[in-house]
Amino acid sequence: MAVDIYVNFNGNCREAVAFYEQVFGVEKTHFMTFGETPADPNYPLPEEAKNLVMHTRLNIDGSNVMFSDVFPGMPFVEGNNISLSVVSTDLDQMKSYFHKLKEGGKVNMELQETFWSKCYGNLKDQFGIEWQFNYDNGEGI
C-alpha cells in the first residue's frame, strides 16, 4: 500500500507536469484526458473539458505524484488543491480505512467500480483533508 500525493490544476496541468519532468529529470508521462472517458449520454462532456488532463503521474525519487486538471465548474482554490491518495492491493484494508476516515467527514464519492478501477472513492475527513482511495489490481494507472 502507498499513500500518494494528488495535485490539481486549473487548466494548466500539462504545463506544470512538463516543468516537473524537466526539474526532476523524469521520463515523459502519458496524459489521460477527460475526453478519453467513456461517453455518458446523461452527462455530456463540455467541449472545454475534452483536452483537460484527467490523470497523469510522475515517479519523483521513488514517490508517486499524481496530477489532474479540475473539471470545468468544480471549485479550485490554489493552495488547497492537494489530496492524499491511498493506493492499495488490499481491498479489505482500503475499505476499512475509507469507512473509518468518513466518520465525521463528508463522502464525495462512495467506494465503487469505475472505468479505471474496480474500487475507487473519495472523501473529506473531519479535519478537512481530502482523501482518494484506489484499488491497485497490478495494472497501474
Side-chain angles (χ1 to χ4, degrees):
M1 182 188 79
V3 177
D4 297 329
I5 300 166
Y6 212 110
V7 184
N8 292 312
F9 293 89
N10 198 20
N12 60 342
C13 183
R14 286 178 195 275
E15 178 184 350
V17 170
F19 175 72
Y20 299 139
E21 287 171 341
Q22 181 182 358
V23 167
F24 295 106
V26 296
E27 291 184 31
K28 298 275 185 212
T29 187
H30 169 75
F31 292 97
M32 179 190 302
T33 66
F34 287 108
E36 294 175 274
T37 62
D40 183 344
N42 296 317
Y43 301 99
L45 190 65
E47 193 61 39
E48 66 271 19
K50 290 182 179 177
N51 290 320
L52 292 176
V53 176
M54 181 181 159
H55 176 79
T56 192
R57 93 175 145 198
L58 298 175
N59 187 287
I60 300 173
D61 289 333
S63 295
N64 282 320
V65 182
M66 298 178 286
F67 306 90
S68 71
D69 284 312
V70 293
F71 195 80
M74 297 297 291
F76 176 84
V77 178
E78 192 171 295
N80 291 340
N81 54 326
I82 296 174
S83 62
L84 299 177
S85 181
V86 175
V87 180
S88 180
T89 57
D90 185 334
L91 190 57
D92 291 332
Q93 183 183 53
M94 191 180 78
K95 287 179 179 181
S96 174
Y97 292 155
F98 183 90
H99 292 296
K100 289 176 183 177
L101 280 170
K102 79 178 185 180
E103 292 299 319
K106 178 184 180 287
V107 173
N108 299 316
M109 183 177 179
E110 281 290 347
L111 290 173
Q112 60 189 273
E113 186 169 344
T114 65
F115 71 90
W116 70 86
S117 176
K118 294 290 182 198
C119 188
Y120 173 85
N122 64 68
L123 59 83
K124 182 184 284 191
D125 72 17
Q126 62 183 318
F127 301 103
I129 304 300
E130 297 280 348
W131 291 87
Q132 297 185 58
F133 294 82
N134 197 57
Y135 173 63
D136 180 1
N137 63 359
E139 294 177 8
I141 57 168

